[in-house]
Amino acid sequence: MENTNKNVSLPFFGIPRIAPYLKPFRRLLLTMVVCGLLGSVMDVGLPMLQRYALDHFIAGNTLDTLPGYITLFVCLILFASCMNFIACNGAMKTENQVNRDLRAAAFSHLQTLSFSYFNQNSVGYIHSRVMSDTGRIGSLVSWSLMDCVWHSTYLIGSLIVMLSINARLTLLVMLILPLIVILYSLFQGKLIRANRRIRELNSKITGDFNEGITGAKTIKTLVIEDKMAKDFLEDTAEIRKKSVSAARLRGAFAITMHLASSLALAIVLWQGGYIAASEVGTFALFMNYAQGMMEPVRWIVDAISDVITTQVNIERLTRLLGTKSDVTDTPEVEEKYGDSFNPKRENWEPIRGDIEFKDVSFRYPDGDEYVLEHFNLSIPFGSSIAIVGETGAGKSTLVNLVCRFFEPTEGQVLIDGRDARERSQLWLHSAIGYVLQTPHLFSGTIRENLLYGNPNATEEEIERALKLVSADEVVARMEKGIDSDVGEGGDLLSTGEKQLISFARAILANPRILVLDEATASVDTLTEQKIQAAMDTVIKGRTSLVIAHRLSTVRNADLILVVHNGKIVEQGTHGELIAAKGYYYRLYTRQYEDEATSSILA
Ligand SMILES: Nc1ncnc2c1ncn2[C@@H]1O[C@H](COP(=O)(O)OP(=O)(O)OP(=O)(O)O)[C@@H](O)[C@H]1O
Ligand SMILES: [Mg+2]
């Protein structure tokens, strides 16, 4: 897990880092600021108009300038409303677009990261970077910015007007400001902590809820419904308690702020007595400003604290955006072959499918033990390689290296005689069909999933691919056939069915290199036998790497690699390995006996 709290103390420190994402909005931001400023200046002007009305029309007892006054008043209000509307509209646009841009950037960047990033960071963690951090940043550069503009303009403007009219009274009223800032900061710290705790509890409850649903079966079989429900109740009780005390805190805060602004009014009332009786307008003006000054202070403190707290979000998001993949193409390679989003297919050499491991040693980026050491192997195009061995032996690791999901710690993997790193990842991946040990389908229909393999596949090609791996029977069983929905992650299908569909999808892509990692581990024996019979057709014209636990399925491979504790302990054809009477022989005979026994019993 990434450390989330490093380097986050300097306020404003992170803003320059998101500046590139704000660049397209320079004009919009400027318009917002200018309009917000003008709107606020108008707000400052309104009490002055009121003062005029009181002094002129009421105290002066004349209505001579009334039409002009009313026109000016209405114009001012209309103008201020227009300005504020434009500013609000701009803020809304900026918030949404910055949000969208940051999300898109984060999502695209995630596509380029290697597997180890996803191994090291949980889905929940990545999810909140992409969804909630971007949201906080979007609202910072729109609403918090506008709050600062609106309220500091009002505060400064009203102070200037007040000072110009009665400096002594203004200075007295200003004495309240530090008090309010201090009071507010005190409360705000507490409120933030209380809200943070509520959010934490909330996400824990969401997590529990999620586990309660996704793990429903496991919960039932472990008979822990009772415990799960109790944990859940405890959490909800705590969140209720915290919410009530947060609400109390908010109440106390509102009352205190009210008292503080009353204090400002009291000062004006007390000292205002010295203002001449003819200046009733000035008196009202001071009352107006003194009362209106409290809210802006609060908003400004809020906006500043937003800037500070959002530093964490900026820091985490920019760290994600700045994370370099463990597997990257060099600039020269990118120049020639393009990147994932702009491939230069015209420069791609057609891939043949020769694979060679040259003195390869490998350990996982976060592991300290070598999974492979000084491994050499040449796999000419068209050959079928089987990889067998016990759980955790290193079989998947071996094919991950071929696919360049990881790169060798030392040594080279050659594709068509050249180091895989000399050409782009996309070039290699476009030639590989991989049926994963844990198959994944995308939500949508079976047809849509198959078309991910080859968007231009014809109806006949789809049917042929389905038939080849016996997935046609799966499709036939479904209510809407090939147009049936597979659910999120393919969850409406059984694991075996998912394997067959993803197998068909891989075939449809017509890859030069085919990797089957336990591709048929979850299908029944009969279906597996059918696939086995079709295997010759499936692997014809391709280099194939087949990982299998059931050794009877790999007897026909050109070469069998026996992996044990991360080392290739034996290699050869089935006949050779049986004759050698080594590790493979023992594995095979044991499995054979087991299978024979179970078939007799059946
Ligand atoms: N992403 C990873 N990071 C660190 N270590 C890993 C990672 N993936 C696998 N390993 C370790 O590497 C070793 C080989 O794992 P690998 O997945 O290659 O085994 P396997 O032979 O495919 O096993 P299985 O038959 O269960 O699929 C294991 O000890 C495993 O713990
Ligand atoms: Mg594996």
Side-chain angles (χ1 to χ4, degrees):
M1 194 68 159
E2 279 183 20
N3 185 343
T4 48
N5 289 318
K6 264 191 287 180
N7 316 327
V8 217
S9 45
L10 276 180
F12 309 110
F13 181 60
I15 304 278
R17 292 203 228 163
I18 48 164
Y21 296 96
L22 302 181
K23 225 172 152 193
F25 307 110
R26 267 176 314 188
R27 284 175 92 174
L28 191 58
L29 286 171
L30 191 69
T31 317
M32 273 159 59
V33 170
V34 171
C35 290
L37 223 133
L38 289 175
S40 237
V41 168
M42 296 302 124
D43 286 343
V44 176
L46 287 179
M48 291 167 77
L49 278 183
Q50 211 175 19
R51 174 192 181 208
Y52 177 83
L54 283 171
D55 284 349
H56 195 75
F57 301 128
I58 296 176
N61 202 8
T62 160
L63 294 177
D64 56 349
T65 49
L66 192 60
Y69 174 85
I70 290 176
T71 318
L72 183 67
F73 193 83
V74 171
C75 286
L76 259 179
I77 295 222
L78 280 179
F79 182 72
S81 307
C82 282
M83 290 299 109
N84 287 332
F85 176 77
I86 298 176
C88 282
N89 203 30
M92 212 152 58
K93 256 194 201 154
T94 313
E95 181 184 27
N96 283 313
Q97 294 188 8
V98 167
N99 219 333
R100 183 201 60 191
D101 287 3
L102 286 174
R103 272 182 199 165
F107 191 77
S108 311
H109 190 70
L110 280 172
Q111 310 293 309
T112 68
L113 291 180
S114 60
F115 282 162
S116 51
Y117 183 82
F118 298 98
N119 286 342
Q120 285 157 20
N121 296 286
S122 70
V123 177
Y125 178 79
I126 298 173
H127 191 263
S128 19
R129 297 301 68 77
V130 177
M131 300 310 285
S132 81
D133 284 353
T134 50
R136 293 286 310 261
I137 297 172
S139 106
L140 176 78
V141 298
S142 50
W143 298 110
S144 305
L145 171 74
M146 282 324 293
D147 282 340
C148 267
V149 172
W150 274 322
H151 300 293
S152 43
T153 310
Y154 184 84
L155 199 61
I156 295 169
S158 55
L159 284 176
I160 291 176
V161 177
M162 280 157 74
L163 277 171
S164 69
I165 295 174
N166 187 332
R168 204 180 82 91
L169 191 51
T170 313
L171 291 175
L172 277 174
V173 173
M174 274 171 76
L175 284 181
I176 301 284
L177 291 182
L179 178 73
I180 292 190
V181 172
I182 292 170
L183 268 178
Y184 188 47
S185 310
L186 281 180
F187 267 106
Q188 211 218 14
K190 282 205 170 70
L191 272 172
I192 287 182
R193 274 193 297 278
N195 285 336
R196 187 180 302 147
R197 181 75 193 125
I198 291 174
R199 268 204 307 276
E200 278 167 11
L201 278 170
N202 223 336
S203 67
K204 182 158 185 295
I205 288 179
T206 318
D208 285 354
F209 208 69
N210 198 3
E211 282 206 323
I213 296 167
T214 52
K217 248 189 209 157
T218 319
I219 291 172
K220 278 198 199 316
T221 52
L222 291 174
V223 203
I224 50 174
E225 290 98 330
D226 208 22
K227 183 186 173 312
M228 298 303 271
K230 211 167 128 241
D231 287 355
F232 193 76
L233 279 182
E234 272 169 21
D235 286 344
T236 44
E238 169 142 23
I239 205 169
R240 191 195 66 91
K241 219 168 92 195
K242 294 285 172 202
S243 302
V244 169
S245 58
R248 238 182 241 142
L249 200 61
R250 270 195 299 274
F253 169 65
I255 292 170
T256 316
M257 289 303 273
H258 194 73
L259 279 177
S261 61
S262 307
L263 194 60
L265 285 183
I267 291 178
V268 176
L269 279 173
W270 164 49
Q271 289 293 320
Y274 300 111
I275 296 175
S278 63
E279 287 181 79
V280 56
T282 308
F283 182 71
L285 180 98
F286 268 83
M287 291 289 277
N288 242 320
Y289 284 144
Q291 201 169 22
M293 257 163 46
M294 304 304 134
E295 277 289 297
V297 174
R298 177 183 159 180
W299 282 104
I300 294 168
V301 176
D302 250 352
I304 293 174
S305 95
D306 267 353
V307 172
I308 296 169
T309 52
T310 312
Q311 295 305 304
V312 185
N313 307 79
I314 297 178
E315 162 70 26
R316 288 189 300 213
L317 186 73
T318 48
R319 178 138 20 98
L320 161 67
L321 289 170
T323 304
K324 289 261 181 297
S325 171
D326 290 334
V327 180
T328 45
D329 293 329
T330 60
E332 300 84 64
V333 167
E334 231 169 60
E335 171 74 35
K336 181 171 173 199
Y337 293 86
D339 60 20
S340 308
F341 301 108
N342 303 297
K344 298 180 180 164
R345 288 178 201 269
E346 63 281 7
N347 296 341
W348 289 9
E349 297 91 354
I351 197 162
R352 231 174 81 80
D354 296 323
I355 303 166
E356 189 181 345
F357 285 84
K358 217 166 154 189
D359 202 29
V360 169
S361 299
F362 177 74
R363 61 161 186 248
Y364 280 99
D366 52 344
D368 29 50
E369 280 206 22
Y370 274 93
V371 183
L372 280 180
E373 274 181 287
H374 303 291
F375 176 59
N376 286 289
L377 177 71
S378 171
I379 308 172
F381 166 68
S383 39
S384 61
I385 306 294
I387 306 168
V388 302
E390 63 215 359
T391 295
K395 305 180 294 294
S396 299
T397 307
L398 207 64
V399 295
N400 279 336
L401 284 168
V402 171
C403 300
R404 214 181 144 199
F405 292 144
F406 293 93
E407 283 178 345
T409 317
E410 285 148 44
Q412 293 175 305
V413 174
L414 309 181
I415 305 289
D416 293 354
R418 277 171 64 188
D419 193 320
R421 286 169 284 207
E422 286 175 26
R423 283 172 291 196
S424 74
Q425 296 172 68
L426 203 66
W427 170 81
L428 178 62
H429 292 164
S430 67
I432 293 181
Y434 195 156
V435 185
L436 291 170
Q437 202 166 6
T438 45
H440 180 88
L441 298 183
F442 299 98
S443 23
T445 62
I446 295 186
R447 185 195 302 279
E448 281 162 1
N449 268 285
L450 291 171
L451 289 178
Y452 279 118
N454 174 8
N456 304 318
T458 63
E459 206 59 30
E460 290 82 61
E461 284 169 328
I462 292 180
E463 264 167 38
R464 201 168 58 232
L466 285 172
K467 198 161 171 50
L468 207 55
V469 298
S470 301
D472 54 338
E473 292 165 24
V474 176
V475 173
R477 275 201 300 272
M478 314 239 351
E479 202 178 319
K480 290 192 203 151
I482 195 164
D483 292 309
S484 309
D485 207 21
V486 298
E488 188 182 336
D491 279 350
L492 294 179
L493 303 184
S494 74
T495 314
E497 288 169 337
K498 275 197 274 186
Q499 276 187 331
L500 294 180
I501 301 292
S502 63
F503 200 165
R505 178 175 63 188
I507 303 278
L508 211 53
N510 194 17
R512 298 291 281 189
I513 299 171
L514 182 66
V515 179
L516 307 177
D517 192 346
E518 304 276 352
T520 53
S522 301
V523 302
D524 62 81
T525 329
L526 194 67
T527 314
E528 187 171 36
Q529 276 168 5
K530 282 191 205 156
I531 296 176
Q532 214 51 49
M535 210 55 180
D536 282 344
T537 326
V538 171
I539 63 173
K540 201 160 149 213
R542 320 181 200 281
T543 309
S544 59
L545 296 158
V546 180
I547 298 178
H549 269 299
R550 239 172 280 166
L551 302 183
S552 53
T553 58
V554 297
R555 263 184 308 209
N556 298 331
D558 296 332
L559 180 73
I560 298 173
L561 301 176
V562 187
V563 192
H564 182 56
N565 275 343
K567 310 252 174 343
I568 310 287
V569 287
E570 288 170 15
Q571 60 186 68
T573 60
H574 176 74
E576 287 164 2
L577 291 173
I578 290 291
K581 296 227 153 127
Y583 183 66
Y584 179 81
Y585 171 79
R586 288 197 296 280
L587 273 183
Y588 187 79
T589 42
R590 201 165 57 222
Q591 264 194 16
Y592 186 75
E593 278 162 15
D594 285 352
E595 273 170 31
T597 319
S598 52
S599 73
I600 289 169
L601 287 176

